[in-house]
Amino acid sequence: MNVTGRASYSESQLYVDGVTVSFDGFKALNNLSFVVEPGEMRAIIGPNGAGKTTMMDVITGKTKPDEGRVIFKGDIDLGKRDEAAVVALGIGRKFQRPSVFENHSVFDNLELAIKSDRSTFACLFDRLDADRKSKIESTLERIGLAGERDQMAGKLSHGQKQWLEIGMLLVQDPELLFLDEPVAGMTDAETEATVELLRDLRGERSIVVVEHDMAFVHALGVKVTVLHEGSVLAEGSMDQVQNDPHVIEVYLGR
Amino acid sequence: MSLRQWMRGGALRFLMVFWALAVLVPHSGASAAEDLGTLVTELGAASLSKKQAVVDRMVATGAPEVVPILEALVGRDLYTRKSDGVVVIGQKTSGGKLLLTDPLTGSEVGTVGSREVKRIKTNNRLRSSVKAVMGTLTLMSPDPQRRLEAADGLLKSSDQAMLPLIETALAKEADAAVKNALQLAKASIKLQSDSAEERLAAVQSLADRTDPESRVMLSRLLLKDGDVWREPDEMVRATAGKTLASMESRLEMWRTVEHLYQGISLGSVLLLAAMGLAITFGVMGVINMAHGEMVMLGAYTTFVVQEVFRSVAPGLFDWSLAVALPAAFLMSALVGIAMERGCIRFLYGRPLETLLATWGISLVLQQTVRSIFGPTNREVGAPEWMQGAMESVAGITLTYNRLWIILFSFCVLGAVLLVLKKTAFGLQMRAVTQNREMARAMGIPTGRVDAMTFGLGSGIAGIAGVALSQIDNVSPNLGQAYIVDSFMVVVFGGVGNLWGAFAGAMSLGVVNKLLEPWAGAVLGKILVLVAIILFIQKRPRGLFALRGRAVES
Amino acid sequence: MSLLQRLYAPQAQEPGKGRLASAVLLSVLAAIAVLVPLLNLTVPADSAFHVPTYLVSLLGKYLCFAMLALSIDLIWGFCGILSLGHGAFFALGGYAMGMYMMRQIGDRGVYGNAELPDFMVFLNWKELPWYWYGFDFFPFAVVMALFVPGLLAFVFGWLTFRSRVSGVYLSIITQAMTYALMLAFFRNDMGFGGNNGLTDFKDLLGFDLQSDNTRAVLLAATCVALAGCYLMCRSIVASKLGRLITAIRDDEARVRFLGYRVENFKLFVFVLSAMIAGLAGALYVPQVGIINPGEFAPANSIEAVIWVAIGGRGTLYGAIAGGVLVNYAKTVLTGVIPEIWLFALGGMFIAVTLFFPKGLVGSLPAAVDWVKRRIGKRNPPASSSLAEEPGQ
């Protein structure tokens, strides 16, 4: 393993430390460890079943790790928190399948997502204030959906739904963002626009992109972590990992 | 008390027992029996003091006709007719007259006014000795029922003089129930003994029993009259106490066994009802609210098949179930396939809608059956080999029909497991369960597999209906009674897992029946339901849940 | 777009139409509340405009069912939770009101016992069970009619939603819940009249339940309560919370990963819905004069679900319309051919799920549209053939 051995993780954005998760004896994650720095954009790739989704489930509080821990911002243990608590800490997650609220307008989707009091009664009596409204409008511009403001989200194209979901994460103001296959099913033009959008976000917050599309990962030009059978196989720049004999074996050997 | 009686009875008793023994032991060298008719006439004529001797001689004949004559004597119904001096039995009629019967043949010989006959005189002493003699007589009766009554009578009187008689009878007795009663009587008599050793032996002889009589007998020994123990000997008391305690614990065990049996029986019924549900729910994620009606259709198919047998071939009635089983399977399976093709397949991926639509189908099926067969219960007969019950030592009855249903449910489970594991259809079905898309891509006709699966699940429900028709009322509401329980079984056991359904059904059945004695049937059931509702909170996917990503999506 | 595609297409939110329907609904309720009692009480019995008393009570009953449908729509149509146990909340509310009216009987019962209701005297009970205390006080009974269903929903929902039991599992255990309650209420020693339930009520707040005046007032009160519940539900559905619960219905995981505690939102709606159902039950019992454990039967709850499905789930007025219409159909059909009712009901279940998933209200605009276009297509050739005729 060429990734362990860092002296201090207190300044890291996210530190995944020896996490193991098994389902009926099958180890979906096997002693997985990696670090994401503040402001870093990271791409995570790996074949099907490498444990990418399970990794995100663990970090975002959906699945509890059998072993190991997940530390956010150096001292917050995510292992015991549920999804809502993890989101409240500033971690956002976009799903592989675009999931937006199809029976709500684009604007409403963003309104439901925007950072605000999440308690039940606060929602009952909530009125949208000017600050939040202008933030939604500016996000609409940023994700290129200003023209579809009052459109039902269900009527958007596949790519537009992906952008809307990214927009829904952005209005939450997360410090760390997980994007699961953000360009799956997109046309080339849409993919390009998405690359632009993500490059634009770089530095603003830490972003972890999980992708299959090698061209897209290449275009992002960021550090890449390769997962295989629940642990890290290789880590480095795209060129480095592409020449790694282990990676070649895993991707081409079967 | 019986000791006092014994003293009063005196030598007469000895004689009685002697005679009785003479009767009991066949070919004992007694002279050829005297003619009963002559003796009866003699009885009528004899003076009060001589009558005892005549009775003894009558007893010595060993003829069964003696019993009714002596009964009549004791009941003061024995008369001599004034006109000819013939001895007759007279019974009062409503008109205040007497209906006369011949004591030997029992045939009626006319009705007369009470003045025309003369009652044969008896006194208390004679009557009580005759009563005792009669006990011994009936002990020899060829009818086990009579012998049992006699033995019970001996237990009640607990007469020490009877001890040798009981011993002899015990040696001869073949019937278990009579033997049992005799042993009890023997112990009871021995407990009256003056010798502590005898009493101790009596207590020990009861050690293997659990019946209420022996428990009462032992617990009496442990009572005090004021400050005085009823049983003076401490050793006997201690042994009695110990024996009683072990009896109670054995009894408790037997009761548990009985509840377990009932539980397993209920569990196997639930298993039959839930197995099909586990398959349809597991493979297709379809909640079939009309599943109970599939069971009901199976039960009505049984009814129809039996009606046909009754009218066409009544002699072959015992074989009706053998025909009903495949018929019920086919009937329910066809209705199930029609349901799947006609309705459910349009609703895949929308489980809540499926639930509502199948509920609608269940209403239609219920009403259809109600319109055809009427709203009342229809009687479904049981073949001979399913009737009756097995009685065991501690008064536990295991009815044969339930025993058969337990066996049957296990056979069905085995057969279904075989179908799933060993046939091509089973393989396709399991493939569709695990990954519908992939199975379709592999060329498995998922539509047909769905229909067949639904047919299989419904068919099993139909078979369950045949079994249920043997223990429950066959009415249009039959299915409704089992639907909630079947769902509980499936949800508890874990969806799509036959072993889960098995474990779920058995544990629900057994827990239900174990709770029943102290909570009552209804409260027990409520407790089980509440427990399951709570259990699902802990394990939302049931006892044998599959875990992993595929399940959650 | 074919008719079927239109029917299955996501429901567009058209605020204008919703407002119109609301206005219609509220004015109909107001009209019933005012006109029906008036026509019953002031118009002489031989007049054609007279509304007989049985009709007053029947209408009141329908409106109570409509309120139950409203509560089910709130939880199912908007939050996606199919409860097959709402009949239990309805019955609990009914029992609370029934207990009050039982206490009102006082010593006018068959046994003339001022302390105990008849069935307790019959069972040889010596004193009133503690949970009957307070029910001789009307406001207490009303609070209980809301509180008890609410509490049950809270406990049940708290346990269930927290452990993320959902979908058909949830439906099945709600059914088990009402089934268990039915068994419990059938028991004599529960102290709620067992098999026979509570009946033989005399009066409510001192007013004779048999009198036309009382019945008219009860109907008006039901109208007011239903209108109130409707307005409350509408404002909730329109709030951010309302949009969130529909979001939960459509994509629960997404809502969760937006940082909302989904279980709390479900719990809020579930409890509120149970309380509305309880209120409906409380209004229902004085108008029908009896409450018994049969109300807990699982079949009752699932039947109420179909009212909502037929009316149109996800639209509050649709649920209300469904509750009234289906029950009206039931009255008519069981009056004419009793056997056909179950066929009709079963057929409704099948038809509405297969062909009209959005119910009457949801399908109406699409159907009208479709018919219009059909007519539009057919008209021109029809007129041309007419034009040719004179030439022949």
Side-chain angles (χ1 to χ4, degrees):
Chain A
M1 292 283 158
N2 53 358
V3 285
T4 49
R6 220 183 109 108
S8 161
Y9 297 105
S10 56
E11 296 115 44
S12 67
Q13 185 69 259
L14 180 76
Y15 171 34
V16 176
D17 181 16
V19 168
T20 299
V21 173
S22 45
F23 298 121
D24 293 332
F26 165 71
K27 280 192 176 172
L29 292 183
N30 189 4
N31 197 21
L32 175 74
S33 302
F34 66 89
V35 174
V36 177
E37 302 295 342
E40 183 191 354
M41 183 181 287
R42 170 75 59 91
I44 292 184
I45 60 173
N48 271 333
K52 294 174 306 230
T53 305
T54 309
M55 170 204 77
M56 278 187 285
D57 282 349
V58 169
I59 295 167
T60 54
K62 188 176 177 206
T63 304
K64 301 279 165 264
D66 296 339
E67 277 170 49
R69 51 199 185 123
V70 181
I71 305 295
F72 183 60
K73 290 207 280 190
D75 57 353
I76 305 168
D77 189 351
L78 297 181
K80 289 171 191 67
R81 292 163 204 262
D82 65 1
E83 296 95 326
V86 169
V87 174
L89 285 169
I91 300 179
R93 175 178 180 182
K94 195 200 89 62
F95 291 99
Q96 186 175 337
R97 206 162 35 95
S99 54
V100 295
F101 306 124
E102 307 213 332
N103 291 326
H104 286 305
S105 70
V106 170
F107 186 90
D108 275 357
N109 266 280
L110 292 174
E111 190 194 333
L112 293 181
I114 199 166
K115 198 171 192 171
S116 61
D117 191 342
R118 272 5 188 179
S119 76
T120 312
F121 288 97
C123 290
L124 184 58
F125 301 111
D126 185 70
R127 290 279 171 274
L128 194 62
D129 53 45
D131 276 359
R132 282 187 286 159
K133 194 163 182 218
S134 69
K135 188 172 176 187
I136 292 175
E137 302 288 359
S138 68
T139 307
L140 278 171
E141 293 290 340
R142 194 168 187 181
I143 58 177
L145 292 176
E148 280 76 22
R149 187 182 184 278
D150 297 318
Q151 176 84 272
M152 287 300 218
K155 295 193 172 153
L156 295 179
S157 75
H158 187 80
Q160 286 174 319
K161 284 183 189 166
Q162 298 271 39
W163 290 331
L164 174 57
E165 201 178 350
I166 293 173
M168 287 164 74
L169 296 185
L170 293 179
V171 290
Q172 283 178 58
D173 252 342
E175 288 185 41
L176 174 61
L177 204 50
F178 279 90
L179 304 177
D180 196 352
E181 305 199 7
V183 295
M186 280 190 179
T187 62
D188 286 351
E190 285 173 334
T191 305
E192 219 163 283
T194 309
V195 171
E196 281 305 307
L197 178 63
L198 293 187
R199 281 217 183 111
D200 192 32
L201 291 173
R202 199 176 201 171
E204 223 174 277
R205 49 198 106 222
S206 312
I207 299 178
V208 176
V209 180
V210 174
E211 233 338 314
H212 266 158
D213 186 336
M214 288 301 154
F216 171 73
V217 175
H218 222 141
L220 283 179
V222 296
K223 190 173 174 185
V224 176
T225 299
V226 184
L227 290 194
H228 177 58
E229 289 177 352
S231 22
V232 174
L233 183 70
E235 204 168 72
S237 75
M238 191 64 189
D239 291 330
Q240 274 173 332
V241 298
Q242 270 180 327
N243 294 318
D244 187 300
H246 293 108
V247 176
I248 293 169
E249 191 191 331
V250 165
Y251 270 86
L252 302 175
R254 20 173 113 177
Chain B
M1 187 178 68
S2 75
L3 202 65
R4 276 207 309 273
Q5 252 178 11
W6 160 248
M7 301 297 266
R8 207 158 21 124
L12 191 67
R13 297 272 165 145
F14 261 120
L15 196 68
M16 242 165 52
V17 172
F18 170 77
W19 280 121
L21 284 176
V23 174
L24 281 167
V25 186
H27 313 298
S28 57
S31 58
E34 293 176 78
D35 178 48
L36 198 56
T38 336
L39 282 170
V40 169
T41 320
E42 219 174 295
L43 186 69
S47 69
L48 201 55
S49 55
K50 297 261 173 65
K51 277 196 176 98
Q52 182 66 51
V54 181
V55 167
D56 290 346
R57 277 158 61 203
M58 282 169 70
V59 169
T61 61
E65 295 88 347
V66 176
V67 177
I69 302 171
L70 292 186
E71 267 168 6
L73 183 66
V74 171
R76 304 189 198 195
D77 288 332
L78 206 59
Y79 299 88
T80 46
R81 195 151 59 197
K82 282 181 183 164
S83 56
D84 53 6
V86 171
V87 175
V88 290
I89 295 176
Q91 275 162 323
K92 282 213 171 66
T93 62
S94 51
K97 296 203 164 186
L98 284 170
L99 175 70
L100 301 184
T101 48
D102 183 283
L104 293 176
T105 61
S107 57
E108 291 180 17
V109 290
T111 313
V112 296
S114 55
R115 300 239 174 119
E116 293 171 49
V117 288
K118 187 175 152 219
R119 176 175 288 140
I120 296 177
K121 279 204 177 111
T122 53
N123 61 8
N124 275 340
R125 195 165 139 187
L126 179 65
R127 276 198 302 275
S128 62
S129 76
V130 169
K131 268 185 211 161
V133 152
M134 265 160 49
T136 68
L137 266 178
T138 43
L139 213 47
M140 306 326 304
S141 161
D143 177 9
Q145 192 55 41
R146 295 295 295 268
R147 298 208 297 277
L148 190 62
E149 278 164 21
D152 285 343
L154 284 173
L155 172 64
K156 273 189 205 98
S157 63
S158 287
D159 192 334
Q160 198 135 17
M162 297 296 157
L163 209 48
L165 179 71
I166 293 174
E167 297 277 14
T168 325
L170 261 177
K172 257 187 78 190
E173 187 56 63
D175 186 279
V178 181
K179 207 166 185 171
N180 187 34
L182 282 172
Q183 273 161 346
L184 199 61
K186 180 179 156 192
S188 166
I189 293 168
K190 275 190 157 183
L191 279 179
Q192 316 286 347
S193 159
D194 290 338
S195 141
E197 259 172 55
E198 282 276 294
R199 296 200 302 273
L200 188 62
V203 168
Q204 282 159 347
S205 76
L206 292 173
D208 289 338
R209 316 176 62 98
T210 47
D211 52 291
E213 290 87 353
S214 48
R215 266 160 38 229
V216 168
M217 227 182 269
L218 286 182
S219 55
R220 267 202 209 123
L221 296 181
L222 302 174
L223 291 179
K224 269 180 169 178
D225 290 330
D227 284 344
V228 189
W229 287 97
R230 285 211 184 151
E231 168 56 55
D233 189 89
E234 197 179 322
M235 176 73 178
V236 176
R237 280 204 308 268
T239 318
K242 248 188 265 167
T243 314
L244 195 62
S246 96
M247 270 182 195
E248 293 292 351
S249 71
R250 242 175 312 138
L251 202 65
E252 193 51 48
M253 191 193 81
W254 278 110
R255 275 194 208 117
T256 314
V257 167
E258 187 173 21
H259 293 142
L260 276 177
Y261 174 74
Q262 289 169 346
I264 292 171
S265 157
L266 176 65
S268 59
V269 168
L270 289 178
L271 175 63
L272 279 172
M275 223 183 301
L277 206 60
I279 292 174
T280 48
F281 195 5
V283 177
M284 295 135 93
V286 161
I287 285 283
N288 181 11
M289 294 298 264
H291 189 79
E293 277 58 46
M294 299 293 138
V295 176
M296 175 201 59
L297 284 181
Y300 272 95
T301 310
T302 315
F303 169 73
V304 171
V305 167
Q306 289 199 342
E307 287 300 296
V308 171
F309 265 83
R310 279 208 180 96
S311 60
V312 177
L316 294 176
F317 186 76
D318 276 0
W319 292 95
S320 62
L321 287 191
V323 177
L325 275 180
F329 182 89
L330 272 181
M331 175 77 196
S332 295
L334 287 177
V335 172
I337 289 173
M339 253 172 81
E340 201 276 339
R341 287 290 94 183
C343 175
I344 292 168
R345 73 182 165 124
F346 302 111
L347 295 171
Y348 283 134
R350 295 192 291 151
L352 298 183
E353 272 89 345
T354 315
L355 191 154
L356 294 178
T358 49
W359 176 266
I361 294 173
S362 86
L363 293 183
V364 172
L365 287 174
Q366 270 178 52
Q367 190 55 41
T368 309
V369 167
R370 198 173 285 127
S371 301
I372 298 174
F373 295 98
T376 49
N377 293 343
R378 304 313 295 238
E379 200 197 326
V380 169
E384 191 122 7
W385 43 271
M386 280 184 80
Q387 291 168 356
M390 207 160 71
E391 296 243 9
S392 83
V393 255
I396 299 167
T397 48
L398 311 179
T399 50
Y400 285 131
N401 55 1
R402 294 206 170 253
L403 205 60
W404 278 111
I405 287 176
I406 293 176
L407 285 177
F408 178 68
S409 70
F410 290 171
C411 291
V412 174
L413 178 67
V416 173
L417 281 172
L418 270 182
V419 168
L420 292 191
K421 300 263 164 186
K422 299 285 178 203
T423 64
F425 167 61
L427 184 65
Q428 292 184 342
M429 218 174 97
R430 281 180 293 141
V432 175
T433 316
Q434 284 183 15
N435 193 331
R436 179 172 290 272
E437 298 306 315
M438 194 60 200
R440 189 178 295 142
M442 306 273 294
I444 294 174
T446 50
R448 206 168 71 206
V449 170
D450 284 339
M452 296 300 282
T453 308
F454 211 84
L456 178 67
S458 305
I460 295 169
I463 287 185
V466 180
L468 272 178
S469 73
Q470 294 298 313
I471 52 169
D472 208 336
N473 296 327
V474 177
S475 78
N477 300 327
L478 174 74
Q480 293 294 302
Y482 287 93
I483 191 74
V484 174
D485 284 332
S486 318
F487 277 128
M488 289 299 112
V489 166
V490 174
V491 166
F492 179 70
V495 169
N497 185 327
L498 278 184
W499 287 111
F502 176 76
M506 288 304 152
S507 31
L508 286 199
V510 169
V511 168
N512 231 325
K513 288 293 173 189
L514 288 183
L515 278 179
E516 239 169 56
W518 63 269
V522 178
L523 196 60
K525 187 152 191 178
I526 296 168
L527 286 176
V528 169
L529 283 176
V530 171
I532 292 175
I533 292 174
L534 291 177
F535 171 84
I536 292 174
Q537 328 282 344
K538 278 278 149 221
R539 303 200 54 164
R541 307 254 157 209
L543 211 51
F544 290 84
L546 307 162
R547 211 178 141 217
R549 261 170 60 195
V551 184
E552 286 171 26
S553 59
Chain C
M1 220 192 238
S2 79
L3 175 63
L4 217 62
Q5 276 173 321
R6 286 171 148 276
L7 287 176
Y8 283 98
Q11 204 150 343
Q13 281 178 338
E14 290 160 81
K17 202 162 57 190
R19 212 165 287 149
L20 176 71
S22 290
V24 170
L25 175 79
L26 291 173
S27 16
V28 168
L29 283 179
I32 293 176
V34 176
L35 283 182
V36 172
L38 221 61
L39 292 177
N40 172 246
L41 297 175
T42 58
V43 177
D46 51 1
S47 157
F49 294 103
H50 177 75
V51 175
T53 304
Y54 84 90
L55 213 60
V56 175
S57 293
L58 203 59
L59 259 175
K61 200 173 104 175
Y62 291 164
L63 292 178
C64 291
F65 287 148
M67 203 190 287
L68 175 60
L70 180 74
S71 74
I72 292 175
D73 192 27
L74 186 64
I75 190 75
W76 182 39
F78 289 90
C79 202
I81 297 169
L82 176 55
S83 163
L84 298 182
H86 256 54
F89 304 129
F90 182 81
L92 284 174
Y95 265 99
M97 186 53 69
M99 283 161 83
Y100 163 74
M101 290 187 292
M102 268 333 244
R103 301 298 293 139
Q104 285 298 100
I105 295 174
D107 58 2
R108 288 171 293 170
V110 177
Y111 295 105
N113 189 319
E115 273 304 302
L116 300 178
D118 274 351
F119 72 88
M120 290 189 193
V121 181
F122 182 75
L123 290 173
N124 243 333
W125 290 22
K126 293 294 167 240
E127 56 186 56
L128 203 65
W130 60 268
Y131 45 82
W132 275 74
Y133 292 162
F135 276 96
D136 26 16
F137 185 50
F138 182 74
F140 179 82
V142 173
V143 169
M144 282 297 135
L146 296 172
F147 177 76
V148 173
L151 182 70
L152 175 65
F154 182 82
V155 172
F156 188 88
W158 190 74
L159 288 168
T160 312
F161 300 141
R162 226 172 31 122
S163 41
R164 304 196 183 168
V165 179
S166 61
V168 285
Y169 285 88
L170 184 70
S171 305
I172 288 173
I173 62 168
T174 52
Q175 188 177 44
M177 175 192 78
T178 191
Y179 184 62
L181 278 170
M182 178 180 77
L183 293 178
F185 272 75
F186 265 121
R187 285 164 55 89
N188 274 332
D189 40 3
M190 275 287 282
F192 296 107
N195 222 344
N196 302 321
L198 310 176
T199 186
D200 289 333
F201 308 129
K202 308 281 186 226
D203 46 29
L204 182 72
L205 287 170
F207 298 103
D208 184 6
L209 278 171
Q210 304 305 323
S211 91
D212 289 358
N213 288 327
T214 315
R215 286 174 177 263
V217 170
L218 276 171
L219 174 66
T222 310
C223 286
V224 170
L226 180 56
C229 287
Y230 172 72
L231 287 173
M232 181 181 70
C233 288
R234 209 181 62 155
S235 72
I236 287 174
V237 165
S239 73
K240 183 176 173 189
L241 182 134
R243 279 172 287 159
L244 261 169
I245 59 171
T246 36
I248 290 171
R249 175 193 71 191
D250 295 342
D251 195 339
E252 180 172 333
R254 181 68 272 171
V255 179
R256 213 181 277 286
F257 282 105
L258 286 181
Y260 293 98
R261 289 232 146 70
V262 166
E263 54 274 18
N264 293 351
F265 288 86
K266 287 183 174 177
L267 194 56
F268 173 80
V269 181
F270 194 55
V271 169
L272 185 72
S273 163
M275 288 165 85
I276 297 174
L279 181 62
L283 285 164
Y284 171 80
V285 171
Q287 302 189 69
V288 296
I290 185 169
I291 175 81
N292 63 30
E295 293 292 338
F296 286 102
N300 279 20
S301 294
I302 200 165
E303 197 181 315
V305 168
I306 212 64
W307 307 337
V308 180
I310 284 177
R313 68 185 139 116
T315 57
L316 295 168
Y317 46 85
I320 291 174
V324 173
L325 286 178
V326 176
N327 281 294
Y328 174 69
K330 183 178 186 172
T331 309
V332 171
L333 280 180
T334 48
V336 183
I337 340 169
E339 304 86 53
I340 214 168
W341 167 241
L342 276 185
F343 283 125
L345 186 65
M348 275 192 248
F349 272 97
I350 300 165
V352 85
T353 46
L354 277 182
F355 306 117
F356 310 105
K358 286 192 285 181
L360 288 179
V361 167
S363 310
L364 218 54
V368 167
D369 229 41
W370 184 76
V371 170
K372 264 188 202 158
R373 273 186 302 127
R374 264 327 197 38
I375 295 170
K377 265 185 206 162
R378 204 174 284 164
N379 270 347
S383 59
S384 65
S385 72
L386 271 172
E388 275 167 18
E389 242 172 8
Q392 280 184 340

